[in-house]
Structures are given as C-alpha cells and as structure tokens.
Amino acid sequence: MATLQFTFIDSTSLFRPSLHSSRTFPRNRSLLIKASSSSSSDDISRSRRRFLAETAAISVSLPHFPARAEDTLSEWERVYLPIDPGVVLLDIAFVPDDPNHGFLLGTRQTILETKDGGNTWAPRSIPSAEDEDFNYRFNSISFKGKEGWIVGKPAILLYTADAGESWERIPLSAELPGDMVYIKATGEKSAEMVTDEGAIYVTANRGYNWRAAVQETVSATLNRTVSSGISGASYYTGTFNTVNRSPDGRYVAVSSRGNFYLTWEPGQPFWQPHNRAVARRIQNMGWRADGGLWLLVRGGGLYLSKGTGLTEEFEEVPVQSRGFGILDVGYRSTDEAWAAGGSGILLRTTNGGQSWIRDKAADNIAANLYSVKFIDDKKGFVLGNDGVLLRYLG
C-alpha cells in the first residue's frame, strides 16, 4: 500500500528572530515661553494656561499618520491548545447547525472540540478511534447538517449523525487503493472520499457501500498516457502530494514530486494530467473563489491561472515571501484571500490575488503554517505544526 507523502519543512531551520518594525512620528514643535524675572504668580499662572491651550491647538493641527497595513498585527490571534508540542494540525470543520461547535484534527491521534466558536478547545475522546496498536493521523473532516465524517491513516472512517456527540466507526475494505486523505459530506448519509492514489468513492448509505467515481488509479492512467508528453510522469511514485476540491466538485491534485498536476471533474472516467507551466516544482494548487486556479511553487512563488476556467496558462504574482515556501491559500471572499507558509509567513490580498502584502502577526511564532481555512467570511483559521492555531479577528 502506498503512503501519503507530505512535504514538511523543518521549522527550526526556517525560524529566525522577528524583525521589529519602527514607526515614524512627526517631531513635536518646541514652545518657548519667555517670562521676566519680575513676573508675578498671576503672570506665571496665565503663562501656564496659555502654554496648555497652545499645546492642545498644535496637537489638533498636527497631521495624523495611520499605521501602515504591513505593520498592522490585528488580523489574527494565536489560540493556545491543550496538546503536545510537535502535533501537526491538519483540518478543521464546524457543524452548520451550530456554528460555535467545531472539531480540529491532527497527527498523534489528535481530535479537539470547541463549543465557543474556536476561542477555546478541549481534547475529545472517541472510543471507536482508540486503538493501542495505532497512532492515527486524522487527515480530513467534513459536516453537512448534523452529519459528519472523519478519515485518517492508518485507514479509519468515522461517522456521526448527531453533530459529533457520538461517532461510529465504519468498516473499510482492505482492498482500498491508497490512504484516505480527503472526505466531503455531500448530503443525507452521503459523502465523497479521495485516496492518495487518485481513487474517488461516493456513498449514499452512511458509508456501508461505496461506488467508484473514476475507473482507475492515477498510476494506471499515467501508464496509458505517458507517451502523450506529460513531463515527469515516468518518475511518479503513485501518490498525490496535495489534493483540493472546488465547491462544485472539481479536483486538482499535485503529483508526489511536484513535476506535474492532475484535474478531475464529475462525470470524467479518468484523471487528466497536465504539464506544469512553470520552471520550479509545484508545492500546492487549489481553486480561487472565482473558479480559477492558484499555484504555489517551491521557494515561495505564487501563480494565478488566466481566466476562471480550467487552463494551463498561469501568471506569476509578486509576493513578499522572504524566500520561505508558501504552502496554502484560503479565500475569505472573491477579492480577499490569505496565504500562509514557512516560518510564520502570512500574506493578504484584497484584489483577488493581483497584489499581496505581508501581515506580521505570526512573525514571532516558530512554526510553519500549512493550511488556511475560512468557514465563512467572519470565521477563519490557520493551522500549523507544533500545535499552532491562528484565529481570524477581522
């Protein structure tokens, strides 16, 4: 069975002390008050009153210099979690019927629960997911109404029908190709599940039966199409590096080495491989809010596809990544998005990705930020290693 490959960056090698910016303020004007040696106490009192009045007038007349956007650190705050250092946070989801009730997943069998919108979290024990022979890595969680799903590695599938009050373990076939890396709740008793070998399965009966949505794994597809000019396909190890789903059910996945990418749309029998349009290897890809694609390359580059449809044409967008890798992008709205990466890099765009400015909120955090998740336009989180969780303040 193939293993899921994640590209992790050693936080100790990326961390450096933060650079404290300095603000420039206008110099205060000097006020000189002359008083003769023979001034009476009344004269001194009047002089003091005049001094205070003139000082107040000058303070009002001085120009106001607002803080620069790049110096503002108020967009995010860190939420401290009751978990061991070294845990990598992997996914987060909230119950639609109760927006304050959510779950946070990670490595080392980590499941945390919040009932106050993400301000505080508590460890959650799920007896059906506890096995002394395994240390589960919970990869993905999704809710639709009160129904929720969790998948992890080694192969485990959990289902809830009561908003997470209780979880049932669903048996899985030993013939499942690859490890489960993503699940999406799609309707009543229905879900869509993806493995790192490109298998896509759908269920409509709480996971007791699954139907294949693609006819073969990615390795089988590449064996048939390697002669079609896909660069790097012969080095494919059979697993995805990352996979992302659009709201309308389209997928984009990056090959294990980052030398090409693949797409799939509902109804297609096979994944469609694509040559990368950039020189550097791909780190991650995903869908913009307008339906186009974003693409991250190793070394901190960010590209946007031309137009909103599926295309192989991309344009690079300048970003202040300081040479650290950007690992994920999350859209809060069509215009506003956030990018996160190594050594606490946080970037923000308010024009659909055409320009980005750096937010220094995580500069003092010695961690890599792997995932940006917006639940809605008011609730967002950034997930990182060493148990780092940032909450969007707006």
Side-chain angles (χ1 to χ4, degrees):
M1 181 179 292
T3 57
L4 174 61
Q5 298 183 357
F6 281 90
T7 304
F8 289 114
I9 307 171
D10 183 8
S11 61
T12 58
S13 64
L14 289 176
F15 174 64
R16 65 174 184 173
S18 62
L19 302 177
H20 297 281
S21 60
S22 59
R23 298 181 183 177
T24 302
F25 295 94
R27 295 181 179 178
N28 294 327
R29 300 180 186 177
S30 298
L31 296 177
L32 301 178
I33 298 178
K34 297 181 179 179
S36 65
S37 57
S38 61
S39 296
S40 66
S41 60
D42 289 342
D43 292 335
I44 294 175
S45 178
R46 286 193 297 271
S47 297
R48 288 176 177 172
R49 288 195 297 271
R50 186 166 60 251
F51 169 78
L52 293 174
E54 292 178 359
T55 302
I58 290 174
S59 299
V60 171
S61 65
L62 287 176
H64 174 63
F65 291 85
R68 295 174 297 177
E70 61 189 23
D71 289 337
T72 302
L73 311 182
S74 61
E75 297 288 350
W76 300 85
E77 71 171 3
R78 182 172 181 180
V79 179
Y80 288 89
L81 305 173
I83 55 178
D84 295 331
V87 170
V88 179
L89 302 177
L90 297 174
D91 203 6
I92 188 172
F94 283 76
V95 180
D97 294 347
D98 184 2
N100 288 324
H101 187 195
F103 292 85
L104 180 63
L105 307 183
T107 58
R108 301 185 186 178
Q109 210 151 305
T110 298
I111 300 180
L112 301 174
E113 185 176 18
T114 181
K115 293 190 176 180
D116 59 8
N119 294 319
T120 60
W121 297 82
R124 174 64 189 271
S125 175
I126 299 178
S128 58
E130 294 179 354
D131 191 323
E132 62 182 14
D133 294 328
F134 295 107
N135 189 2
Y136 290 107
R137 173 195 186 95
F138 294 114
N139 289 320
S140 181
I141 181 172
S142 180
F143 278 93
K144 184 80 170 181
K146 291 185 177 181
E147 293 185 86
W149 305 79
I150 292 175
V151 294
K153 175 187 176 182
I156 185 172
L157 173 63
L158 303 174
Y159 169 81
T160 179
D162 54 12
E165 294 302 320
S166 62
W167 292 86
E168 173 188 1
R169 184 164 180 174
I170 306 298
L172 291 169
S173 170
E175 303 299 321
L176 188 72
D179 296 314
M180 293 175 295
V181 293
Y182 180 81
I183 194 160
K184 173 68 176 180
T186 56
E188 185 179 357
K189 300 180 182 179
S190 302
E192 192 171 273
M193 178 174 65
V194 184
T195 76
D196 64 345
E197 291 190 16
I200 302 176
Y201 293 99
V202 294
T203 183
N205 60 0
R206 296 180 52 166
Y208 289 105
N209 298 104
W210 295 86
R211 176 180 58 84
V214 293
Q215 296 182 11
E216 60 189 14
T217 63
V218 171
S219 292
T221 298
L222 292 175
N223 286 335
R224 291 188 300 100
T225 62
V226 69
S227 60
S228 63
I230 301 301
S231 177
S234 59
Y235 299 101
Y236 186 67
T237 62
T239 57
F240 290 153
N241 188 40
T242 64
V243 60
N244 282 296
R245 185 185 190 273
S246 71
D248 60 0
R250 294 177 293 163
Y251 284 93
V252 60
V254 176
S255 69
S256 52
R257 293 194 176 199
N259 43 16
F260 64 96
Y261 66 98
L262 307 102
T263 58
W264 180 84
E265 297 183 4
Q268 289 183 338
F270 314 111
W271 285 85
Q272 306 297 313
H274 303 267
N275 281 311
R276 73 178 190 266
V278 297
R280 286 178 286 175
R281 293 181 185 267
I282 305 171
Q283 184 79 49
N284 195 3
M285 293 182 69
W287 303 93
R288 303 197 305 262
D290 63 3
L293 287 166
W294 52 261
L295 182 152
L296 306 174
V297 298
R298 298 177 186 179
L302 188 154
Y303 292 75
L304 300 179
S305 65
K306 296 181 179 180
T308 58
L310 185 60
T311 177
E312 296 183 3
E313 297 185 41
F314 288 80
E315 292 180 328
E316 185 172 11
V317 178
V319 292
Q320 303 174 25
S321 66
R322 299 183 295 166
F324 296 112
I326 303 175
L327 303 177
D328 195 27
V329 176
Y331 276 77
R332 178 172 174 261
S333 65
T334 302
D335 295 324
E336 183 179 343
W338 290 83
S343 192
I345 284 289
L346 273 177
L347 303 168
R348 180 194 186 194
T349 180
T350 56
N351 56 13
Q354 298 305 313
S355 62
W356 298 75
I357 58 173
R358 186 164 68 89
D359 188 300
K360 300 180 181 180
D363 275 10
N364 292 326
I365 298 176
N368 302 316
L369 308 177
Y370 290 112
S371 181
V372 182
K373 301 280 186 180
F374 277 95
I375 313 303
D376 54 40
D377 62 349
K378 294 181 174 59
K379 185 182 299 180
F381 297 88
V382 175
L383 287 61
N385 67 336
D386 280 333
V388 169
L389 178 69
L390 306 182
R391 186 173 71 91
Y392 179 71
L393 298 176

